[in-house]
Amino acid sequence: MATVVPCPNCGASVEWSDRSPWRPFCSERCRLIDLGEWLNEGHRIADPTDAPSEDPPPSDDLSTPH
């Protein structure tokens, strides 16, 4: 028995086998919609350098002697 997965785009059931040439998508249309989302940066892989810094913001306190 073949594994059945949901289409990442529309959620339709897709049999994971050679009979489903667009797997994991249910159709070429869903595959192209997903590709378009990646090209338009609707989907992105997180970049660890984009994460906010753990350091506190610089202080505006002028009481430190120079």
Side-chain angles (χ1 to χ4, degrees):
M1 177 177 223
T3 302
V4 176
V5 297
C7 173
N9 188 53
C10 71
S13 296
V14 179
E15 183 179 312
W16 195 273
S17 71
D18 292 339
R19 292 190 294 164
S20 301
W22 306 110
R23 66 185 177 272
F25 301 98
C26 65
S27 65
E28 182 178 21
R29 179 179 181 274
C30 279
R31 183 183 68 89
L32 291 174
I33 290 170
D34 185 73
L35 177 61
E37 285 293 317
W38 282 100
L39 294 174
N40 289 326
E41 296 184 5
H43 297 308
R44 296 187 325 168
I45 297 173
D47 182 357
T49 60
D50 287 344
S53 173
E54 295 291 326
D55 297 331
S59 175
D60 290 334
D61 185 9
L62 301 175
S63 63
T64 308
H66 291 43

